[in-house]
Amino acid sequence: GYRIERLLDSIGDTKFGYEKIAYLLLMGELPTTEQEKEFAELIGKCRILPTNFTKDVIMKAPSEDIMNSMTRSILTLASYDEQAKDTSVQNSLRQCIQLIGEFPLIAVYGYHAYNHYIKNDSLYIHHPDPSLSTAENLLMMLRPDQKYTEVEAKTLDTALILHMEHGGGNNSTFTTRVVTSSGSDTYSTIAAAMSSLKGPKHGGANIKVMEMMEDIRNHVSDYSDRDEIAAYLSKILDKEVFDG
């Protein structure tokens, strides 16, 4: 088998490995050095959205829920694919590789649309750089000045790898298997898998945690008082504290 520790060690301290592990999950085996290079270049070429897609789809009716925005974009991309309903292995693989390249764009641009239209912040759209890794592109497109450190990029690359595969019991993995068993197309399947991750017990867990932290701040007067914090946490665990 492929242990995650061994895979991370094989990448090294300075290189980025998201593309390498994506190849492993798609093909079932680690790529050679040449295959890894070709696959990374292919992903780079796929980092492009259809003409006016960002303006016509992502920027219109933006959502404060980024996963909603991404799901809508995934489904809409089917309208730009003349082979959207072709479920052959070759075509499905082509669609998945394209989506891997497009995901950073629809995620980051969806966030910027939310920031601008809902949070009244500045709007900026940076085009991806095909020569950069997935982690580097995410950081570059997110930042107003397009700058990031090597440590930030390496940390994000590792996080992306750890989140790529949670095992056969994962919500999105299970949903993908269920939806594809009906013969459905790639876009509908991945949109369904994305929706399966939305709730506060999964993809929305970070938002729920922030809400819980805010609740504690509103009910604890002295953050340095460990006894006061422990007493309030005990109330939560004893279900003496209810929403509202």
Side-chain angles (χ1 to χ4, degrees):
Y2 296 100
R3 293 182 58 85
I4 189 62
E5 296 91 345
R6 192 174 301 166
L7 290 173
L8 291 174
D9 286 342
S10 73
I11 294 166
D13 296 331
T14 57
K15 293 184 178 180
F16 300 105
Y18 174 84
E19 290 74 17
K20 178 179 182 178
I21 309 305
Y23 183 100
L24 168 63
L25 291 177
L26 283 171
M27 307 300 183
E29 60 184 16
L30 286 169
T32 63
T33 301
E34 185 61 30
Q35 288 172 332
E36 182 181 351
K37 179 182 177 182
E38 289 180 2
F39 186 71
E41 290 176 352
L42 178 58
I43 293 295
K45 291 177 181 178
C46 289
R47 290 197 210 286
I48 184 172
L49 292 171
T51 303
N52 295 327
F53 188 92
T54 302
K55 175 175 65 71
D56 293 342
V57 179
I58 299 177
M59 294 297 167
K60 287 189 176 178
S63 171
E64 62 181 15
D65 190 316
I66 301 303
M67 297 186 79
N68 271 356
S69 174
M70 292 186 67
T71 301
R72 183 181 63 183
S73 291
I74 293 166
L75 285 173
T76 308
L77 281 169
S79 300
Y80 295 81
D81 186 348
E82 295 180 356
Q83 296 175 279
K85 295 183 179 180
D86 178 358
T87 58
S88 66
V89 173
Q90 182 178 1
N91 190 58
S92 295
L93 185 60
R94 187 266 304 173
Q95 291 170 329
C96 289
I97 291 173
Q98 282 192 321
L99 284 171
I100 291 172
E102 292 165 337
F103 260 38
L105 282 72
I106 61 178
V108 171
Y109 294 168
Y111 172 74
H112 288 324
Y114 155 75
N115 238 10
H116 178 65
Y117 293 107
I118 297 178
K119 302 297 287 185
N120 295 315
D121 205 346
S122 298
L123 176 65
Y124 48 89
I125 298 294
H126 301 314
H127 293 294
D129 184 341
S131 68
L132 296 179
S133 68
T134 297
E136 291 173 301
N137 265 302
L138 276 165
L139 291 171
M140 182 270 287
M141 291 188 296
L142 268 173
R143 303 279 171 77
D145 60 5
Q146 300 179 272
K147 294 181 179 179
Y148 55 88
T149 67
E150 290 184 9
V151 172
E152 287 177 323
K154 182 61 178 176
T155 302
L156 179 56
D157 182 71
T158 302
L160 288 171
I161 292 171
L162 293 174
H163 281 79
M164 288 172 76
E165 227 300 330
H166 301 318
N170 179 262
N171 276 22
S172 56
T173 302
F174 176 76
T175 302
T176 296
R177 291 184 179 274
V178 170
V179 179
T180 52
S181 71
S182 73
S184 189
D185 64 275
T186 299
Y187 298 99
S188 295
T189 299
I190 300 304
M194 180 69 69
S195 295
S196 77
L197 301 175
K198 274 191 58 183
K201 295 180 181 179
H202 209 292
N206 59 327
I207 297 175
K208 178 57 66 176
V209 169
M210 295 305 295
E211 291 175 352
M212 293 166 68
M213 295 294 290
E214 184 63 25
D215 176 78
I216 293 172
R217 281 191 287 267
N218 290 335
H219 290 88
V220 175
S221 58
D222 184 2
Y223 305 148
S224 65
D225 188 335
R226 297 175 66 90
D227 292 335
E228 184 182 3
I229 293 175
Y232 188 68
L233 291 177
S234 294
K235 287 184 177 181
I236 295 174
L237 293 173
D238 292 337
K239 299 183 178 180
E240 296 179 20
V241 179
F242 301 92
D243 291 339

